[in-house]
Amino acid sequence: MKRVLAALLFAAVLIPAGVRPSGATFVAATANPNTTFSAAADFNTVAVTLTDPGSPLSGSVSLSANAASNRGIASVVFASAPAGTSTWTTACTDTVAPYSCTFDTTAVADGLRDVRALATDTAGYTRADVVANRRVDNTGPTVSTTDPGSPLTGTTNVTSTATDAGSGLASVTLQYRLGAGAWTTICTTASSPSTCAWNTASLADGLYDLHTLATDAVGNSTTSAQVSNRRVDNTAPSATLTAPAATLAGTITLQSTTADGSGSGVANVRYEYKPSAGGSWTTACTGASTPFSCLFNTATAADGLYDFRAVATDGVALSATSAAVTSRRIDNTAPIGVTLGPVAAQVQGTVALAATAADAGSGVASVRFQYAPAGTSTWTDICTDPSSPYTCSFDTTTAPDALYDMRALATDNAGNTTASTVQANRRVDNNGPTVALVDPGSSVSGTISLSGTATDPGGVLTTTFEYRPTGAAAWTTLCTDTTAPYTCPGLDTTLVPDGSYDLRMQATDNYAHTSISAVLTVQVDNTAPTAVDAQGANGGTAGTIDALDTLTLTFSEPMLPASIMAGWNGSSTAVQVRVNDVGANDTLDVYDAAGTTKLKLTSATQALQLRADWVSATASFNATLVRSGSQIVVTFGTRISGAVRTGVATTANMIWTPSTAATDLAGNPASATACTETGALDRDF
């Protein structure tokens, strides 16, 4: 009994907390009643076996274990820990046989891990089973694709590099695609670095992308960064030569039309030529950038017929040759035997010109006839003849009269030119001299001398001076002169009646061309001017000489202002008026603005008689003087000195004796005959 109690007490002590006693009663029925328990572990009947999950592990892995206990299994806990450690991390738990669950390996770090199953029975007893060093691998490889460059043609090697620190590489696949199309595998290898021979020859030209897909042993995969827009070009470019001119000379431009589709583009165009009769092609020049034209100095080739072609090369050295343009003549030799037929020393009107020229190459295209001012190189085309015999009609009236050099200029079909020997100093003369008669003045008297100018490139032979009554039909010759300066002794106007006359000058050159000057009209006046009237007018206070009063002196014709006052042109000018106190018959003279020089309006010995007592002391006035036709008008201004009377009433008309020093426009001096104021007696001022 004591043993039973002791066993129960011992069992009670060993029952884990939370495990209920079964209530069973143990009866010592052993045949060996003396059997004893040495440790509590002897009561653990749990057995567990973990099924090896394999290695490597990736993603979700199914774990399973067999577990049993006399008391029954309460749970099986699956866990993992870094290999060789006891840092267990629960993966999953199952409480119902068969014991299994899913292990999410992505929840732990990649690497070697120990995996265990920990079984616990209903009495709390546990046992574990561990499978060591199982690799967890959820990380794809590291992969890169080496850029093969661009453009690509034919078969090219494409290389990629991949590494995997986990389960190791399983495969490395290189792929390409055109544009946004599907990826196509170039090759697959199991090692790195891997190199594939990519045959692009069967592909359409265009821009391709490349990448590498690396997969490790558990199926993790990584795609490399994309190598984009690598151009595949397996098609040669096209080229069409722009036909050169039929005849070529000097430096010319060679050009073509090229295309390269979706390829790498044209890199250069080489232009070649060869003799049309046969021979090898020679490079003329190369265009290295768009528009791929270049300059060819044709002088580097002998004159003759040549074929030309263009060879276009693209960025991958594929080339295409254009169709040849044949039989283009290179001609750098100018025409020969170019002569201008004789041209007379002096020409006028329309002149027939002729020339000869020859060219053994491309042939003469035209002959131009030209002239230039003598001694210069400023050539002007007269006319052009495209065919032999080469002739031209030169209308010399289209060129100003002058000395000219003349030549013929032959041009061949290649543009080469040769000039004939210049025939120098050929005079074109279609016009009379340039002639001008010097104006003798609008009004003349006595004997007048005539002169004029006459010039002509061909020389003046003679000049003639003529006159006629204005408007008459016939001209009368006065004189002739053959030597410059051209003058005529004179026209004695006293031999013709006063009136209007026309004058002109004629000049004749050495080629019988005559020119006439512009006609000048003069007034012949041999009659002396006379005093016609003297009138005073009040502008201020009546009966008093004061400001704004006027005195008008009228001649029989217009007078020369400068003969009255030196330098005067007839326009309004400042003067002084002096009224002399001479008792009952005061007189008046006009002086210059300074009051020092008497003007030639009144006689040197007899001033203007006012016929009244206008001043009580000799008075001077500022005034203005102006000519208006045949009248001289004096307008009084402020009084400078002296004293004037007021309320004067005249008793007789004024008497004016003009100065004989005053002349008309023809130079005739005024008559000294006095005139008396006309009209009714008035107060004058």
Side-chain angles (χ1 to χ4, degrees):
M1 186 64 180
K2 287 182 179 179
R3 284 184 174 180
V4 172
L5 290 174
L8 291 173
L9 286 171
F10 182 75
V13 172
L14 293 177
I15 295 173
V19 178
R20 294 183 296 106
S22 66
T25 301
F26 293 92
V27 178
T30 179
N32 184 9
N34 295 317
T35 298
T36 62
F37 296 97
S38 62
D42 294 335
F43 291 96
N44 187 352
T45 62
V46 176
V48 61
T49 302
L50 174 63
T51 300
D52 188 350
S55 184
L57 305 176
S58 179
S60 294
V61 177
S62 178
L63 300 178
S64 65
N66 294 319
S69 173
N70 291 340
R71 302 174 185 86
I73 294 300
S75 65
V76 175
V77 177
F78 297 90
S80 69
T85 74
S86 59
T87 309
W88 296 100
T89 299
T90 298
C92 52
T93 302
D94 198 1
T95 59
V96 179
Y99 302 104
S100 65
C101 67
T102 300
F103 173 22
D104 180 8
T105 63
T106 64
V108 297
D110 284 4
L112 292 175
R113 297 186 76 86
D114 297 338
V115 182
R116 78 175 183 179
L118 177 66
T120 303
D121 66 9
T122 58
Y125 291 99
T126 62
R127 272 197 171 88
D129 187 22
V130 176
V131 176
N133 295 321
R134 290 315 182 245
R135 181 171 295 280
V136 171
D137 183 2
N138 286 296
T139 302
T142 299
V143 60
S144 64
T145 303
T146 302
D147 186 352
S150 182
L152 306 170
T153 189
T155 298
T156 186
N157 289 330
V158 184
T159 300
S160 63
T161 302
T163 59
D164 189 82
S167 57
L169 291 172
S171 65
V172 178
T173 300
L174 274 159
Q175 295 181 316
Y176 70 87
R177 70 176 180 182
L178 174 63
W183 290 96
T184 299
T185 297
I186 301 173
C187 68
T188 300
T189 64
S191 61
S192 176
S194 67
T195 299
C196 298
W198 182 24
N199 182 7
T200 67
S202 61
L203 303 179
D205 288 356
L207 294 174
Y208 285 79
D209 301 331
L210 295 165
H211 73 194
T212 302
L213 183 66
T215 304
D216 64 15
V218 294
N220 297 312
S221 63
T222 304
T223 302
S224 71
Q226 183 173 291
V227 177
S228 300
N229 297 327
R230 283 335 183 223
R231 187 173 295 281
V232 168
D233 182 3
N234 287 292
T235 305
S238 63
T240 302
L241 176 65
T242 301
T247 305
L248 308 171
T251 298
I252 64 170
T253 298
L254 295 176
Q255 53 193 356
S256 58
T257 301
T258 59
D260 196 42
S262 298
S264 54
V266 174
N268 62 72
V269 177
R270 185 176 70 257
Y271 297 91
E272 299 177 333
Y273 68 96
K274 73 174 185 63
S276 295
S280 59
W281 290 96
T282 300
T283 297
C285 57
T286 300
S289 61
T290 184
F292 303 109
S293 61
C294 61
L295 299 177
F296 171 40
N297 181 6
T298 64
T300 59
D303 285 3
L305 291 175
Y306 289 86
D307 300 339
F308 288 83
R309 71 181 185 181
V311 180
T313 302
D314 66 12
V316 293
L318 297 172
S319 63
T321 302
S322 72
V325 176
T326 61
S327 299
R328 266 35 190 177
R329 181 175 295 279
I330 290 179
D331 180 4
N332 286 294
T333 303
I336 60 174
V338 182
T339 59
L340 174 64
V343 180
Q346 184 271 330
V347 294
Q348 60 183 330
T350 299
V351 179
L353 303 177
T356 60
D359 188 85
S362 57
V364 175
S366 66
V367 172
R368 280 181 289 163
F369 296 85
Q370 299 178 316
Y371 69 87
T376 75
S377 58
T378 308
W379 294 100
T380 299
D381 289 347
I382 300 170
C383 50
T384 301
D385 193 346
S387 60
S388 179
Y390 304 106
T391 60
C392 173
S393 291
F394 178 21
D395 180 4
T396 63
T397 63
T398 61
D401 287 2
L403 283 176
Y404 293 96
D405 296 339
M406 303 190 71
R407 73 177 186 180
L409 184 69
T411 303
D412 65 16
N413 285 294
N416 303 302
T417 62
T418 301
S420 69
T421 300
V422 172
Q423 296 188 31
N425 298 320
R426 268 40 182 178
R427 181 172 298 282
V428 169
D429 191 334
N430 287 292
N431 302 292
T434 299
V435 58
L437 177 64
V438 176
D439 190 349
S442 60
S443 185
V444 296
S445 63
T447 298
I448 59 172
S449 294
L450 298 179
S451 64
T453 59
T455 58
D456 188 88
V460 175
L461 179 64
T462 185
T463 62
T464 302
F465 295 86
E466 300 173 315
Y467 79 98
R468 70 177 181 184
T470 298
W475 290 88
T476 300
T477 298
L478 286 172
C479 52
T480 60
D481 195 357
T482 59
T483 305
Y486 303 105
T487 61
C488 183
L491 168 62
D492 185 355
T493 63
T494 63
L495 301 178
V496 296
D498 285 0
S500 179
Y501 289 84
D502 296 335
L503 300 174
R504 74 179 187 183
M505 176 180 175
Q506 290 194 58
T508 302
D509 66 15
N510 288 312
Y511 303 103
H513 301 118
T514 298
S515 297
I516 300 174
S517 71
V519 174
L520 300 179
T521 299
V522 297
Q523 186 71 33
V524 170
D525 180 6
N526 286 298
T527 302
T530 59
V532 174
D533 197 9
Q535 291 284 337
N538 177 54
T541 302
T544 301
I545 295 180
D546 55 8
L548 301 182
D549 290 346
T550 61
L551 172 65
T552 300
L553 303 177
T554 303
F555 286 90
S556 59
E557 59 181 301
M559 301 298 287
L560 182 65
S563 69
I564 295 172
M565 182 171 64
W568 184 37
N569 62 5
S571 62
S572 179
T573 188
V575 294
Q576 285 190 24
V577 176
R578 186 173 301 166
V579 180
N580 305 298
D581 183 15
V582 191
N585 186 15
D586 292 341
T587 60
L588 180 148
D589 287 309
V590 182
Y591 287 77
D592 62 10
T596 58
T597 302
K598 181 179 175 180
L599 304 191
K600 297 176 180 63
L601 277 175
T602 56
S603 171
T605 58
Q606 177 59 64
L608 176 67
Q609 300 177 58
L610 298 179
R611 309 294 292 279
D613 189 7
W614 290 99
V615 297
S616 57
T618 296
S620 293
F621 297 83
N622 287 320
T624 58
L625 182 71
V626 66
R627 190 193 76 168
S628 176
S630 299
Q631 295 181 331
I632 306 297
V633 180
V634 179
T635 301
F636 289 79
T638 58
R639 179 160 50 88
I640 301 171
S641 62
V644 299
R645 298 184 185 278
T646 61
V648 176
T650 57
T651 59
N653 286 328
M654 293 184 290
I655 299 174
W656 169 41
T657 302
S659 170
T660 57
T663 69
D664 62 14
L665 299 180
N668 299 302
S671 169
T673 302
C675 73
T676 301
E677 179 183 5
T678 63
L681 185 65
D682 55 30
R683 304 189 70 175
D684 293 331
F685 301 106

